[in-house]
Amino acid sequence: MTAPADVIFTNAEIHTLAETDETAEAVAVRDGEIVRVDNAYEVDFLEGVETEVIDLDGRVLLPGFIDAHTHLMMVGSYLVNADLSDADSPADCVELLAELDADREWVLGYGFDESMWEESRYLTRDDLDSVSETRPVVAFREDMHTASVNSEALSRLRDEMPDEDVETKGGEPTGVIVEDAVDAIYEAIEPDAETMRELLLSAQRDAHEKGITGVHDMVRRSRAPEVYRRLELDGELSLRVRINYWSDHIDAIEEIGLQTNHGSEFVRTGGIKTFTDGSFGGRTAKLSEPYADGEGTGQWVVSPEELDELVTRADDAGLQVTAHAIGDEAIDATLDAFCETGDPGAMRHRVEHVELITDEQIERFADSGIVASVQPNFLKWAQEGGLYDARLGEERRKRTNRFRTLLDAGANLAFGSDCMPLDPLLGIHQTVNAPVEAQQLSVTEALRAYTHGAAYAGFDENRLGTVENGKKADFVVLDGSPWEHEDDIEDIGVAMTVVDGDVVFDGRND
Ligand SMILES: [Zn+2]
């Protein structure tokens, strides 16, 4: 006699998204694990008197989305400060910032993207002085490597900002800052544990509303790891969090012997996060050929020599490395550093973003087993006349984000959002409807990259990422079928999110 299930989800169109995608009608869960996936008749046998039966009215049930690249503290920051991601002009941003209540010490806005505006320019010191002349005002660009600040913020922190990262005109700062100068701001506004708790809990709610059940979070000099563990102990964490620690934590990590995959049911150690280059928005991504619309080939944030050293050290300590590389030159340097460890596929070292890639690099990904951790939502810049066109020109624009070619070559592809914005269905929509064939995936392939692919990048493919017996009961339930709505996947509603068999978001009849 088999023990009854705790919960049965039935009357659904279940896609397992296993190696071959199979469909079923019902799934039974016991102790947070999937115990049967089958037709409703077969699964009914596991119904006991205490079993909760959830009728999904024919909706689509998939493995929960795993976002392989998040900054949840930032998501929380968007939610509790000014969210500039929908602004469409500098004036709009100024208005949103001015609406924040007046008792805040810092006036903060997140996520502006001037590349999508008609008046396509960065916010300036003058813009932000009009918000306040007495309180520091900061507007972060969506890529987080560039920000605009007002005079008060500059006067407080100018000494902490390296000259080369502070833009000037006629000797005066314009208010635009990049890289290390932006870090000075992050340091000054770092939240305490209580604020961090508030930020992470609001981000967790947002993630569940988008169908996300697990994240690989990138964490730097913050209380986030401590707060995640505290939330788990308090029974308040319902998102599986894999923490990737910024490289400036490596001494501490080595000292306490933390290794990749250490951890609990909900909080695990990922690897070491580092950078090589900047971004296309800031013209700081490192290219082999100059920018189409500016001087130079970008800049190293971490030099190849430093990167080599860090990768060797992390690999020796049993730590996976996740290295940000956007331009082709940066991707080369990162692949070189990873390959020097001998077997980079074994540690599943990851290149984050992989935006401008050469054919030869695609082969190197496939041969080495290095994970391409990419963001399909970045394809919003790949349209004709978009950001990639401006920065790179047409030929290189068409070589960005080539998920089709990577997958066909046999590379490990993991999808994430980098929180620009946090929204897997939007990313899946972008790649299914991408402008260039080399960027296009089928619905099934795109969904797999956001589930199984991301799980693999986190050594989690035996626990997460498909709807199969023995896997964790982490699901997303959709109001419509992405296979039947290829043209408007981004508009499909998330009806329910389930983690460990528990319903953590229920948006039915919303
Ligand atoms: Zn990131």
Side-chain angles (χ1 to χ4, degrees), residues 153-185:
L154 272 173
S155 82
R156 288 198 196 187
L157 292 170
R158 180 64 187 84
D159 291 346
E160 328 291 325
M161 298 175 174
D163 287 344
E164 67 271 22
D165 291 341
V166 178
E167 188 188 86
T168 55
K169 203 173 183 181
E172 286 299 307
T174 61
V176 176
I177 58 174
V178 297
E179 306 301 342
D180 289 348
V182 183
D183 286 345
I185 303 277

Side-chain angles (χ1 to χ4, degrees), residues 71-78 191 196 199-200 203 217 222 224 228:
H71 302 265
L72 286 194
M73 184 190 115
M74 297 305 291
V75 173
S77 302
Y78 274 63
M196 181 61 82
L199 295 179
L200 295 181
D217 208 35
S222 83
Y228 281 130

Side-chain angles (χ1 to χ4, degrees), residues 69 71 353 418:
H69 189 128
H71 302 265
H353 312 311
D418 206 5

Side-chain angles (χ1 to χ4, degrees), residues 180-502:
D180 289 348
V182 183
D183 286 345
I185 303 277
Y186 288 129
E187 239 167 280
I189 61 170
E190 189 186 312
D192 58 20
E194 199 186 321
T195 311
M196 181 61 82
R197 192 182 177 91
E198 189 192 334
L199 295 179
L200 295 181
L201 283 174
S202 52
Q204 172 174 278
R205 260 193 308 277
D206 189 46
H208 289 332
E209 284 174 20
K210 308 279 171 49
I212 297 167
T213 55
V215 295
H216 300 174
D217 208 35
M218 309 295 170
V219 168
R220 177 175 213 176
R221 282 199 303 266
S222 83
R223 293 175 169 269
E226 165 199 342
V227 172
Y228 281 130
R229 294 193 172 93
R230 173 53 61 189
L231 286 171
E232 185 181 22
L233 288 173
D234 294 346
E236 289 184 63
L237 194 65
S238 52
L239 191 64
R240 298 186 200 276
V241 181
R242 183 176 175 84
I243 303 175
N244 292 303
Y245 296 86
W246 232 266
S247 53
D248 38 18
H249 292 291
I250 194 167
D251 289 338
I253 286 168
E254 274 192 340
E255 190 186 321
I256 60 172
L258 211 54
Q259 290 183 5
T260 288
N261 299 327
H262 272 178
S264 61
E265 194 62 48
F266 279 87
V267 183
R268 292 199 176 181
T269 298
I272 298 293
K273 169 80 196 314
T274 185
F275 276 98
T276 55
D277 61 349
S279 69
F280 286 133
R283 290 191 197 82
T284 46
K286 197 80 186 90
L287 298 173
S288 60
E289 302 288 331
Y291 279 89
D293 63 347
E295 300 283 293
T297 58
Q299 68 188 58
W300 295 112
V301 176
V302 171
S303 73
E305 297 73 35
E306 268 177 277
L307 181 71
D308 279 349
E309 213 172 290
L310 178 73
V311 168
T312 306
R313 182 176 166 193
D315 190 84
D316 286 348
L319 292 161
Q320 184 184 25
V321 178
T322 73
H324 163 125
I326 285 179
D328 54 355
E329 182 105 346
I331 293 168
D332 246 355
T334 309
L335 292 172
D336 286 348
F338 284 167
C339 287
E340 247 167 69
T341 64
D343 187 3
M347 275 313 289
R348 304 190 188 179
H349 292 310
R350 310 167 30 159
V351 186
E352 305 299 311
H353 312 311
V354 197
E355 282 172 65
L356 182 65
I357 192 172
T358 66
D359 292 343
E360 193 205 332
Q361 288 164 354
I362 289 175
E363 288 306 321
R364 291 184 75 187
F365 272 98
D367 293 345
S368 64
I370 292 168
V371 175
S373 169
V374 295
Q375 290 71 40
N377 43 312
F378 289 3
L379 285 167
K380 67 179 172 173
W381 299 313
Q383 302 296 334
E384 228 182 297
L387 177 73
Y388 290 143
D389 231 357
R391 296 286 189 270
L392 303 171
E394 193 191 359
E395 186 273 328
R396 285 184 293 182
R397 163 173 75 83
K398 291 181 172 170
R399 281 201 281 120
T400 60
N401 303 297
R402 287 190 285 161
F403 312 140
R404 159 94 279 129
T405 321
L406 278 159
L407 207 61
D408 286 348
N412 294 309
L413 201 62
F415 272 0
S417 69
D418 206 5
C419 301
M420 297 202 243
L422 186 72
D423 189 348
L425 285 173
L426 175 66
I428 289 161
H429 177 93
Q430 297 277 351
T431 184
V432 170
N433 297 284
V436 175
E437 204 182 313
Q439 300 165 334
Q440 291 164 3
L441 295 188
S442 72
V443 169
T444 307
E445 288 165 339
L447 289 169
R448 260 184 64 88
Y450 242 127
T451 51
H452 178 272
Y456 180 86
F459 291 87
D460 255 338
E461 73 278 11
N462 293 320
R463 190 172 73 119
L464 311 173
T466 60
V467 183
E468 293 178 292
N469 282 351
K471 292 280 181 86
K472 296 292 173 186
D474 294 0
F475 309 133
V476 55
V477 179
L478 303 178
D479 278 328
S481 163
W483 289 270
E484 284 166 25
H485 295 268
E486 288 202 9
D487 300 338
D488 51 359
I489 295 171
E490 60 185 340
D491 297 325
I492 296 173
V494 171
M496 188 185 278
T497 305
V498 177
V499 176
D500 222 39
D502 295 326

